[in-house]
Amino acid sequence: MMPRSPLRKDGLGELLTRAMGGDEAAYRRFLTEISTVLKPFVMRWTRSGSPSDVEDLLQEVLIAVHQKRHTWRQGEPVMPWLYAIAKYKSIDAHRRRRHHGSVDIGDLAETLDDPTTVPNAVAYDVARAVGSLSGRQKDVVSAISVEGHSIEETAQRFGMTKGAVRVAFHRGLSSIAETFGRK
């Protein structure tokens, strides 16, 4: 752990004042000092404890400090102003994680199925739809939609006229649409 710098209490205001006056070296030092001061605060807000999450949140805080530096009132203590910015950025990050939780895929690798063995969802839905039919409608819809046969091939296969195949196919699709809520 870094030794505490005497600047952290009184000198931060002086550094920020000089930085706002255009002193780039003072601004660089100010950012370095506050990074060290704010890191433990940010760590408490980062539930995962992941070093990358801590660094990401710290960077968000530093960007906010940079964007809001004009709101600091010279002569006022710097630390309460910094902690307020850090607190609100931490709350924002917490809300984002709550609404958009993330899970490391490596944590789930052993519980996930091999994608090559998982049934295709579309094939499952098609099989379920065709399975809801019966008789010739099932045979005709399956032959045309699943197996890819033409109307003529299907008619020859089942000993039907092409018109009868078209009617059975149309009625089968209508029945599927009705069963699965699409009229």
Side-chain angles (χ1 to χ4, degrees), residues 37-50 53-58 60-61 82-98:
V37 171
L38 292 175
K39 191 169 188 173
F41 178 85
V42 168
M43 287 173 81
R44 285 191 296 272
W45 277 89
T46 309
R47 296 191 192 277
S48 73
S50 160
D53 287 347
V54 171
E55 288 302 317
D56 288 348
L57 182 53
L58 183 59
E60 281 186 51
V61 171
L82 287 173
Y83 282 130
I85 292 172
K87 174 184 172 188
Y88 289 110
K89 280 295 167 185
S90 299
I91 290 169
D92 289 346
H94 177 70
R95 285 180 181 147
R96 277 193 312 272
R97 279 193 309 276
R98 187 178 72 212

Side-chain angles (χ1 to χ4, degrees), residues 1-16 18 26 28-41 58 62 72 76-83:
M1 190 163 180
M2 291 181 72
R4 293 187 72 82
S5 166
L7 281 178
R8 293 214 179 111
K9 289 198 175 194
D10 301 334
L12 287 176
E14 181 185 327
L15 278 177
L16 186 52
R18 288 183 12 219
R28 227 178 348 272
R29 187 161 180 211
F30 173 77
L31 290 174
T32 301
E33 290 289 327
I34 67 169
S35 294
T36 306
V37 171
L38 292 175
K39 191 169 188 173
F41 178 85
L58 183 59
L62 292 175
W72 175 69
E76 293 288 319
V78 175
M79 291 311 297
W81 175 76
L82 287 173
Y83 282 130

Side-chain angles (χ1 to χ4, degrees), residues 15-162:
L15 278 177
L16 186 52
T17 300
R18 288 183 12 219
M20 290 176 71
D23 185 341
E24 289 181 27
Y27 193 50
R28 227 178 348 272
R29 187 161 180 211
F30 173 77
L31 290 174
T32 301
E33 290 289 327
I34 67 169
S35 294
T36 306
V37 171
L38 292 175
K39 191 169 188 173
F41 178 85
V42 168
M43 287 173 81
R44 285 191 296 272
W45 277 89
T46 309
R47 296 191 192 277
S48 73
S50 160
S52 64
D53 287 347
V54 171
E55 288 302 317
D56 288 348
L57 182 53
L58 183 59
Q59 289 302 313
E60 281 186 51
V61 171
L62 292 175
I63 289 169
V65 166
H66 174 74
Q67 292 172 335
K68 300 292 183 183
R69 68 188 182 280
H70 68 278
T71 65
W72 175 69
R73 290 185 226 126
Q74 279 189 337
E76 293 288 319
V78 175
M79 291 311 297
W81 175 76
L82 287 173
Y83 282 130
I85 292 172
K87 174 184 172 188
Y88 289 110
K89 280 295 167 185
S90 299
I91 290 169
D92 289 346
H94 177 70
R95 285 180 181 147
R96 277 193 312 272
R97 279 193 309 276
R98 187 178 72 212
H99 293 296
H100 304 288
S102 62
V103 176
D104 183 6
I105 194 70
D107 296 342
L108 299 175
E110 292 180 15
T111 60
L112 295 174
D113 290 328
D114 178 359
T116 60
T117 63
V118 176
N120 183 329
V122 173
Y124 172 79
D125 288 343
V126 169
R128 188 169 152 234
V130 172
S132 70
L133 301 173
S134 61
R136 281 289 175 193
Q137 287 180 359
K138 181 177 184 176
D139 295 338
V140 168
V141 170
S142 180
I144 294 171
S145 296
V146 178
E147 299 167 20
H149 295 291
S150 69
I151 289 181
E152 189 173 319
E153 291 170 330
T154 304
Q156 288 175 353
R157 179 177 174 186
F158 296 115
M160 300 168 65
T161 66
K162 289 189 276 184

